[in-house]
């Protein structure tokens, strides 16, 4: 079992930065990669934002990120980060951390509970 706890969400203005954290505990060594997803209001599905391998740190991002977001991890702290810059109102969503079996988080093994990010215009 892997437990994932997100933090850092909140209400910000358009153009502001925000950093999300995801603390992982449990059998994290079994995860190939970690990722971030988001689910906007009214959307039924979660949208892939990006992922990073635990070993090697290779990252992958969705096209809409356009270098505004950066994923990083601290292996010693078992913590995943999502640095979001130049936020837009359309970035408003619940952001979820995920433990994944492969690159691009095509297969998600565990989910966090989510943290709300609201960007006002």
């Amino acid at each position: 079992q892997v437990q994932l706890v997100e933090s850092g969400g909140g209400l910000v203005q358009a153009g502001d930065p925000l950093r999300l954290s995801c603390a992982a505990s449990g059998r994290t060594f079994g995860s190939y990669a970690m990722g971030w997803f988001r689910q906007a209001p009214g959307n039924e599905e979660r949208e892939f934002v990006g992922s990073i391998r635990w070993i090697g740190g290779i990252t992958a991002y969705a096209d809409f990120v356009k270098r505004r977001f950066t994923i990083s991890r601290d292996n010693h702290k078992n913590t995943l980060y999502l640095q979001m810059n130049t936020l837009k109102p359309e970035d408003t969503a619940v952001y979820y951390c995920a433990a994944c079996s492969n690159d691009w988080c095509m297969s998600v093994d565990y989910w966090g509970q989510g943290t709300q990010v609201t960007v006002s215009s």
Side-chain angles (χ1 to χ4, degrees), residues 8-31:
L11 173 63
V12 297
Q13 293 186 334
D16 284 351
L18 192 66
R19 190 177 82 158
L20 305 182
S21 300
C22 172
S25 60
R27 298 173 62 85
T28 57
F29 60 83
S31 297

mmCIF file with all atom_site columns, all heavy atoms in Angstrom, residues 8-31:
data_model
loop_
_atom_site.group_PDB
_atom_site.id
_atom_site.type_symbol
_atom_site.label_atom_id
_atom_site.label_alt_id
_atom_site.label_comp_id
_atom_site.label_asym_id
_atom_site.label_entity_id
_atom_site.label_seq_id
_atom_site.pdbx_PDB_ins_code
_atom_site.Cartn_x
_atom_site.Cartn_y
_atom_site.Cartn_z
_atom_site.occupancy
_atom_site.B_iso_or_equiv
_atom_site.pdbx_formal_charge
_atom_site.auth_seq_id
_atom_site.auth_comp_id
_atom_site.auth_asym_id
_atom_site.auth_atom_id
_atom_site.pdbx_PDB_model_num
ATOM 1   N N   . GLY A 1 8  ? -0.909 22.276 -0.269  1.00 0.00 ? 8  GLY A N   1
ATOM 2   C CA  . GLY A 1 8  ? -0.438 23.458 -0.971  1.00 0.00 ? 8  GLY A CA  1
ATOM 3   C C   . GLY A 1 8  ? -1.463 24.144 -1.848  1.00 0.00 ? 8  GLY A C   1
ATOM 4   O O   . GLY A 1 8  ? -1.188 25.206 -2.416  1.00 0.00 ? 8  GLY A O   1
ATOM 5   N N   . GLY A 1 9  ? -2.635 23.544 -1.991  1.00 0.00 ? 9  GLY A N   1
ATOM 6   C CA  . GLY A 1 9  ? -3.670 24.170 -2.798  1.00 0.00 ? 9  GLY A CA  1
ATOM 7   C C   . GLY A 1 9  ? -4.219 25.421 -2.142  1.00 0.00 ? 9  GLY A C   1
ATOM 8   O O   . GLY A 1 9  ? -3.960 25.706 -0.968  1.00 0.00 ? 9  GLY A O   1
ATOM 9   N N   . GLY A 1 10 ? -4.998 26.181 -2.903  1.00 0.00 ? 10 GLY A N   1
ATOM 10  C CA  . GLY A 1 10 ? -5.595 27.392 -2.353  1.00 0.00 ? 10 GLY A CA  1
ATOM 11  C C   . GLY A 1 10 ? -6.136 28.289 -3.436  1.00 0.00 ? 10 GLY A C   1
ATOM 12  O O   . GLY A 1 10 ? -6.249 27.889 -4.603  1.00 0.00 ? 10 GLY A O   1
ATOM 13  N N   . LEU A 1 11 ? -6.481 29.493 -3.034  1.00 0.00 ? 11 LEU A N   1
ATOM 14  C CA  . LEU A 1 11 ? -7.021 30.508 -3.947  1.00 0.00 ? 11 LEU A CA  1
ATOM 15  C C   . LEU A 1 11 ? -5.918 31.502 -4.288  1.00 0.00 ? 11 LEU A C   1
ATOM 16  O O   . LEU A 1 11 ? -5.320 32.101 -3.387  1.00 0.00 ? 11 LEU A O   1
ATOM 17  C CB  . LEU A 1 11 ? -8.193 31.227 -3.285  1.00 0.00 ? 11 LEU A CB  1
ATOM 18  C CG  . LEU A 1 11 ? -8.770 32.431 -4.024  1.00 0.00 ? 11 LEU A CG  1
ATOM 19  C CD1 . LEU A 1 11 ? -9.358 31.997 -5.361  1.00 0.00 ? 11 LEU A CD1 1
ATOM 20  C CD2 . LEU A 1 11 ? -9.826 33.118 -3.171  1.00 0.00 ? 11 LEU A CD2 1
ATOM 21  N N   . VAL A 1 12 ? -5.663 31.662 -5.572  1.00 0.00 ? 12 VAL A N   1
ATOM 22  C CA  . VAL A 1 12 ? -4.651 32.603 -6.039  1.00 0.00 ? 12 VAL A CA  1
ATOM 23  C C   . VAL A 1 12 ? -5.227 33.426 -7.177  1.00 0.00 ? 12 VAL A C   1
ATOM 24  O O   . VAL A 1 12 ? -6.289 33.094 -7.721  1.00 0.00 ? 12 VAL A O   1
ATOM 25  C CB  . VAL A 1 12 ? -3.370 31.891 -6.520  1.00 0.00 ? 12 VAL A CB  1
ATOM 26  C CG1 . VAL A 1 12 ? -2.711 31.139 -5.365  1.00 0.00 ? 12 VAL A CG1 1
ATOM 27  C CG2 . VAL A 1 12 ? -3.670 30.959 -7.670  1.00 0.00 ? 12 VAL A CG2 1
ATOM 28  N N   . GLN A 1 13 ? -4.509 34.470 -7.549  1.00 0.00 ? 13 GLN A N   1
ATOM 29  C CA  . GLN A 1 13 ? -4.932 35.299 -8.670  1.00 0.00 ? 13 GLN A CA  1
ATOM 30  C C   . GLN A 1 13 ? -4.207 34.869 -9.942  1.00 0.00 ? 13 GLN A C   1
ATOM 31  O O   . GLN A 1 13 ? -3.116 34.279 -9.886  1.00 0.00 ? 13 GLN A O   1
ATOM 32  C CB  . GLN A 1 13 ? -4.644 36.770 -8.371  1.00 0.00 ? 13 GLN A CB  1
ATOM 33  C CG  . GLN A 1 13 ? -5.493 37.340 -7.240  1.00 0.00 ? 13 GLN A CG  1
ATOM 34  C CD  . GLN A 1 13 ? -5.301 38.837 -7.062  1.00 0.00 ? 13 GLN A CD  1
ATOM 35  O OE1 . GLN A 1 13 ? -4.251 39.380 -7.402  1.00 0.00 ? 13 GLN A OE1 1
ATOM 36  N NE2 . GLN A 1 13 ? -6.316 39.505 -6.545  1.00 0.00 ? 13 GLN A NE2 1
ATOM 37  N N   . ALA A 1 14 ? -4.810 35.183 -11.068 1.00 0.00 ? 14 ALA A N   1
ATOM 38  C CA  . ALA A 1 14 ? -4.189 34.873 -12.351 1.00 0.00 ? 14 ALA A CA  1
ATOM 39  C C   . ALA A 1 14 ? -2.799 35.495 -12.421 1.00 0.00 ? 14 ALA A C   1
ATOM 40  O O   . ALA A 1 14 ? -2.614 36.656 -12.031 1.00 0.00 ? 14 ALA A O   1
ATOM 41  C CB  . ALA A 1 14 ? -5.054 35.384 -13.492 1.00 0.00 ? 14 ALA A CB  1
ATOM 42  N N   . GLY A 1 15 ? -1.841 34.702 -12.897 1.00 0.00 ? 15 GLY A N   1
ATOM 43  C CA  . GLY A 1 15 ? -0.464 35.158 -12.986 1.00 0.00 ? 15 GLY A CA  1
ATOM 44  C C   . GLY A 1 15 ? 0.394  34.770 -11.804 1.00 0.00 ? 15 GLY A C   1
ATOM 45  O O   . GLY A 1 15 ? 1.632  34.834 -11.872 1.00 0.00 ? 15 GLY A O   1
ATOM 46  N N   . ASP A 1 16 ? -0.247 34.380 -10.691 1.00 0.00 ? 16 ASP A N   1
ATOM 47  C CA  . ASP A 1 16 ? 0.492  33.995 -9.488  1.00 0.00 ? 16 ASP A CA  1
ATOM 48  C C   . ASP A 1 16 ? 1.096  32.608 -9.652  1.00 0.00 ? 16 ASP A C   1
ATOM 49  O O   . ASP A 1 16 ? 0.616  31.797 -10.439 1.00 0.00 ? 16 ASP A O   1
ATOM 50  C CB  . ASP A 1 16 ? -0.426 33.988 -8.272  1.00 0.00 ? 16 ASP A CB  1
ATOM 51  C CG  . ASP A 1 16 ? -0.740 35.381 -7.777  1.00 0.00 ? 16 ASP A CG  1
ATOM 52  O OD1 . ASP A 1 16 ? -0.106 36.339 -8.273  1.00 0.00 ? 16 ASP A OD1 1
ATOM 53  O OD2 . ASP A 1 16 ? -1.620 35.502 -6.899  1.00 0.00 ? 16 ASP A OD2 1
ATOM 54  N N   . PRO A 1 17 ? 2.136  32.316 -8.835  1.00 0.00 ? 17 PRO A N   1
ATOM 55  C CA  . PRO A 1 17 ? 2.664  30.955 -8.765  1.00 0.00 ? 17 PRO A CA  1
ATOM 56  C C   . PRO A 1 17 ? 2.057  30.205 -7.581  1.00 0.00 ? 17 PRO A C   1
ATOM 57  O O   . PRO A 1 17 ? 1.485  30.816 -6.667  1.00 0.00 ? 17 PRO A O   1
ATOM 58  C CB  . PRO A 1 17 ? 4.163  31.183 -8.539  1.00 0.00 ? 17 PRO A CB  1
ATOM 59  C CG  . PRO A 1 17 ? 4.191  32.436 -7.709  1.00 0.00 ? 17 PRO A CG  1
ATOM 60  C CD  . PRO A 1 17 ? 3.027  33.275 -8.167  1.00 0.00 ? 17 PRO A CD  1
ATOM 61  N N   . LEU A 1 18 ? 2.203  28.888 -7.606  1.00 0.00 ? 18 LEU A N   1
ATOM 62  C CA  . LEU A 1 18 ? 1.745  28.059 -6.499  1.00 0.00 ? 18 LEU A CA  1
ATOM 63  C C   . LEU A 1 18 ? 2.511  26.746 -6.566  1.00 0.00 ? 18 LEU A C   1
ATOM 64  O O   . LEU A 1 18 ? 2.758  26.237 -7.662  1.00 0.00 ? 18 LEU A O   1
ATOM 65  C CB  . LEU A 1 18 ? 0.241  27.794 -6.604  1.00 0.00 ? 18 LEU A CB  1
ATOM 66  C CG  . LEU A 1 18 ? -0.454 27.176 -5.387  1.00 0.00 ? 18 LEU A CG  1
ATOM 67  C CD1 . LEU A 1 18 ? -0.446 28.144 -4.216  1.00 0.00 ? 18 LEU A CD1 1
ATOM 68  C CD2 . LEU A 1 18 ? -1.894 26.795 -5.741  1.00 0.00 ? 18 LEU A CD2 1
ATOM 69  N N   . ARG A 1 19 ? 2.884  26.220 -5.423  1.00 0.00 ? 19 ARG A N   1
ATOM 70  C CA  . ARG A 1 19 ? 3.568  24.931 -5.393  1.00 0.00 ? 19 ARG A CA  1
ATOM 71  C C   . ARG A 1 19 ? 2.765  23.931 -4.583  1.00 0.00 ? 19 ARG A C   1
ATOM 72  O O   . ARG A 1 19 ? 2.422  24.171 -3.427  1.00 0.00 ? 19 ARG A O   1
ATOM 73  C CB  . ARG A 1 19 ? 4.979  25.058 -4.801  1.00 0.00 ? 19 ARG A CB  1
ATOM 74  C CG  . ARG A 1 19 ? 5.781  23.773 -4.984  1.00 0.00 ? 19 ARG A CG  1
ATOM 75  C CD  . ARG A 1 19 ? 7.195  23.885 -4.483  1.00 0.00 ? 19 ARG A CD  1
ATOM 76  N NE  . ARG A 1 19 ? 7.295  23.680 -3.042  1.00 0.00 ? 19 ARG A NE  1
ATOM 77  C CZ  . ARG A 1 19 ? 8.397  23.313 -2.407  1.00 0.00 ? 19 ARG A CZ  1
ATOM 78  N NH1 . ARG A 1 19 ? 9.508  23.103 -3.108  1.00 0.00 ? 19 ARG A NH1 1
ATOM 79  N NH2 . ARG A 1 19 ? 8.417  23.182 -1.102  1.00 0.00 ? 19 ARG A NH2 1
ATOM 80  N N   . LEU A 1 20 ? 2.502  22.810 -5.212  1.00 0.00 ? 20 LEU A N   1
ATOM 81  C CA  . LEU A 1 20 ? 1.829  21.708 -4.545  1.00 0.00 ? 20 LEU A CA  1
ATOM 82  C C   . LEU A 1 20 ? 2.854  20.674 -4.106  1.00 0.00 ? 20 LEU A C   1
ATOM 83  O O   . LEU A 1 20 ? 3.887  20.492 -4.755  1.00 0.00 ? 20 LEU A O   1
ATOM 84  C CB  . LEU A 1 20 ? 0.815  21.043 -5.481  1.00 0.00 ? 20 LEU A CB  1
ATOM 85  C CG  . LEU A 1 20 ? -0.240 21.954 -6.113  1.00 0.00 ? 20 LEU A CG  1
ATOM 86  C CD1 . LEU A 1 20 ? -1.192 21.112 -6.976  1.00 0.00 ? 20 LEU A CD1 1
ATOM 87  C CD2 . LEU A 1 20 ? -1.002 22.732 -5.073  1.00 0.00 ? 20 LEU A CD2 1
ATOM 88  N N   . SER A 1 21 ? 2.540  20.010 -2.999  1.00 0.00 ? 21 SER A N   1
ATOM 89  C CA  . SER A 1 21 ? 3.387  18.934 -2.495  1.00 0.00 ? 21 SER A CA  1
ATOM 90  C C   . SER A 1 21 ? 2.566  17.671 -2.352  1.00 0.00 ? 21 SER A C   1
ATOM 91  O O   . SER A 1 21 ? 1.349  17.725 -2.141  1.00 0.00 ? 21 SER A O   1
ATOM 92  C CB  . SER A 1 21 ? 3.990  19.303 -1.132  1.00 0.00 ? 21 SER A CB  1
ATOM 93  O OG  . SER A 1 21 ? 4.777  20.467 -1.217  1.00 0.00 ? 21 SER A OG  1
ATOM 94  N N   . CYS A 1 22 ? 3.238  16.541 -2.441  1.00 0.00 ? 22 CYS A N   1
ATOM 95  C CA  . CYS A 1 22 ? 2.597  15.253 -2.244  1.00 0.00 ? 22 CYS A CA  1
ATOM 96  C C   . CYS A 1 22 ? 3.543  14.387 -1.423  1.00 0.00 ? 22 CYS A C   1
ATOM 97  O O   . CYS A 1 22 ? 4.614  14.006 -1.904  1.00 0.00 ? 22 CYS A O   1
ATOM 98  C CB  . CYS A 1 22 ? 2.282  14.590 -3.570  1.00 0.00 ? 22 CYS A CB  1
ATOM 99  S SG  . CYS A 1 22 ? 1.677  12.887 -3.416  1.00 0.00 ? 22 CYS A SG  1
ATOM 100 N N   . ALA A 1 23 ? 3.163  14.109 -0.191  1.00 0.00 ? 23 ALA A N   1
ATOM 101 C CA  . ALA A 1 23 ? 3.968  13.262 0.686   1.00 0.00 ? 23 ALA A CA  1
ATOM 102 C C   . ALA A 1 23 ? 3.547  11.815 0.497   1.00 0.00 ? 23 ALA A C   1
ATOM 103 O O   . ALA A 1 23 ? 2.368  11.488 0.655   1.00 0.00 ? 23 ALA A O   1
ATOM 104 C CB  . ALA A 1 23 ? 3.784  13.688 2.139   1.00 0.00 ? 23 ALA A CB  1
ATOM 105 N N   . ALA A 1 24 ? 4.513  10.973 0.160   1.00 0.00 ? 24 ALA A N   1
ATOM 106 C CA  . ALA A 1 24 ? 4.239  9.553  -0.072  1.00 0.00 ? 24 ALA A CA  1
ATOM 107 C C   . ALA A 1 24 ? 4.776  8.716  1.081   1.00 0.00 ? 24 ALA A C   1
ATOM 108 O O   . ALA A 1 24 ? 5.860  8.981  1.603   1.00 0.00 ? 24 ALA A O   1
ATOM 109 C CB  . ALA A 1 24 ? 4.879  9.111  -1.384  1.00 0.00 ? 24 ALA A CB  1
ATOM 110 N N   . SER A 1 25 ? 4.034  7.718  1.481   1.00 0.00 ? 25 SER A N   1
ATOM 111 C CA  . SER A 1 25 ? 4.478  6.801  2.524   1.00 0.00 ? 25 SER A CA  1
ATOM 112 C C   . SER A 1 25 ? 4.015  5.396  2.170   1.00 0.00 ? 25 SER A C   1
ATOM 113 O O   . SER A 1 25 ? 3.172  5.207  1.300   1.00 0.00 ? 25 SER A O   1
ATOM 114 C CB  . SER A 1 25 ? 3.930  7.230  3.889   1.00 0.00 ? 25 SER A CB  1
ATOM 115 O OG  . SER A 1 25 ? 2.521  7.238  3.876   1.00 0.00 ? 25 SER A OG  1
ATOM 116 N N   . GLY A 1 26 ? 4.590  4.425  2.857   1.00 0.00 ? 26 GLY A N   1
ATOM 117 C CA  . GLY A 1 26 ? 4.249  3.040  2.558   1.00 0.00 ? 26 GLY A CA  1
ATOM 118 C C   . GLY A 1 26 ? 5.256  2.439  1.589   1.00 0.00 ? 26 GLY A C   1
ATOM 119 O O   . GLY A 1 26 ? 6.421  2.806  1.574   1.00 0.00 ? 26 GLY A O   1
ATOM 120 N N   . ARG A 1 27 ? 4.819  1.542  0.745   1.00 0.00 ? 27 ARG A N   1
ATOM 121 C CA  . ARG A 1 27 ? 5.706  0.828  -0.166  1.00 0.00 ? 27 ARG A CA  1
ATOM 122 C C   . ARG A 1 27 ? 5.993  1.636  -1.432  1.00 0.00 ? 27 ARG A C   1
ATOM 123 O O   . ARG A 1 27 ? 5.749  1.205  -2.542  1.00 0.00 ? 27 ARG A O   1
ATOM 124 C CB  . ARG A 1 27 ? 5.097  -0.519 -0.522  1.00 0.00 ? 27 ARG A CB  1
ATOM 125 C CG  . ARG A 1 27 ? 4.916  -1.436 0.681   1.00 0.00 ? 27 ARG A CG  1
ATOM 126 C CD  . ARG A 1 27 ? 4.149  -2.684 0.318   1.00 0.00 ? 27 ARG A CD  1
ATOM 127 N NE  . ARG A 1 27 ? 4.826  -3.508 -0.667  1.00 0.00 ? 27 ARG A NE  1
ATOM 128 C CZ  . ARG A 1 27 ? 5.755  -4.412 -0.383  1.00 0.00 ? 27 ARG A CZ  1
ATOM 129 N NH1 . ARG A 1 27 ? 6.127  -4.604 0.871   1.00 0.00 ? 27 ARG A NH1 1
ATOM 130 N NH2 . ARG A 1 27 ? 6.304  -5.124 -1.347  1.00 0.00 ? 27 ARG A NH2 1
ATOM 131 N N   . THR A 1 28 ? 6.554  2.819  -1.233  1.00 0.00 ? 28 THR A N   1
ATOM 132 C CA  . THR A 1 28 ? 6.806  3.707  -2.362  1.00 0.00 ? 28 THR A CA  1
ATOM 133 C C   . THR A 1 28 ? 7.873  3.171  -3.302  1.00 0.00 ? 28 THR A C   1
ATOM 134 O O   . THR A 1 28 ? 7.908  3.532  -4.471  1.00 0.00 ? 28 THR A O   1
ATOM 135 C CB  . THR A 1 28 ? 7.220  5.092  -1.860  1.00 0.00 ? 28 THR A CB  1
ATOM 136 O OG1 . THR A 1 28 ? 8.370  4.965  -1.027  1.00 0.00 ? 28 THR A OG1 1
ATOM 137 C CG2 . THR A 1 28 ? 6.086  5.740  -1.076  1.00 0.00 ? 28 THR A CG2 1
ATOM 138 N N   . PHE A 1 29 ? 8.753  2.285  -2.802  1.00 0.00 ? 29 PHE A N   1
ATOM 139 C CA  . PHE A 1 29 ? 9.821  1.792  -3.666  1.00 0.00 ? 29 PHE A CA  1
ATOM 140 C C   . PHE A 1 29 ? 9.263  0.958  -4.806  1.00 0.00 ? 29 PHE A C   1
ATOM 141 O O   . PHE A 1 29 ? 9.937  0.686  -5.785  1.00 0.00 ? 29 PHE A O   1
ATOM 142 C CB  . PHE A 1 29 ? 10.819 0.976  -2.843  1.00 0.00 ? 29 PHE A CB  1
ATOM 143 C CG  . PHE A 1 29 ? 10.217 -0.211 -2.157  1.00 0.00 ? 29 PHE A CG  1
ATOM 144 C CD1 . PHE A 1 29 ? 10.037 -1.407 -2.830  1.00 0.00 ? 29 PHE A CD1 1
ATOM 145 C CD2 . PHE A 1 29 ? 9.813  -0.138 -0.840  1.00 0.00 ? 29 PHE A CD2 1
ATOM 146 C CE1 . PHE A 1 29 ? 9.483  -2.503 -2.199  1.00 0.00 ? 29 PHE A CE1 1
ATOM 147 C CE2 . PHE A 1 29 ? 9.259  -1.221 -0.202  1.00 0.00 ? 29 PHE A CE2 1
ATOM 148 C CZ  . PHE A 1 29 ? 9.085  -2.409 -0.872  1.00 0.00 ? 29 PHE A CZ  1
ATOM 149 N N   . GLY A 1 30 ? 8.019  0.520  -4.672  1.00 0.00 ? 30 GLY A N   1
ATOM 150 C CA  . GLY A 1 30 ? 7.409  -0.269 -5.727  1.00 0.00 ? 30 GLY A CA  1
ATOM 151 C C   . GLY A 1 30 ? 6.858  0.551  -6.870  1.00 0.00 ? 30 GLY A C   1
ATOM 152 O O   . GLY A 1 30 ? 6.473  -0.007 -7.900  1.00 0.00 ? 30 GLY A O   1
ATOM 153 N N   . SER A 1 31 ? 6.827  1.871  -6.718  1.00 0.00 ? 31 SER A N   1
ATOM 154 C CA  . SER A 1 31 ? 6.283  2.726  -7.770  1.00 0.00 ? 31 SER A CA  1
ATOM 155 C C   . SER A 1 31 ? 7.364  3.096  -8.765  1.00 0.00 ? 31 SER A C   1
ATOM 156 O O   . SER A 1 31 ? 8.465  3.459  -8.385  1.00 0.00 ? 31 SER A O   1
ATOM 157 C CB  . SER A 1 31 ? 5.678  3.996  -7.163  1.00 0.00 ? 31 SER A CB  1
ATOM 158 O OG  . SER A 1 31 ? 4.599  3.678  -6.317  1.00 0.00 ? 31 SER A OG  1
#
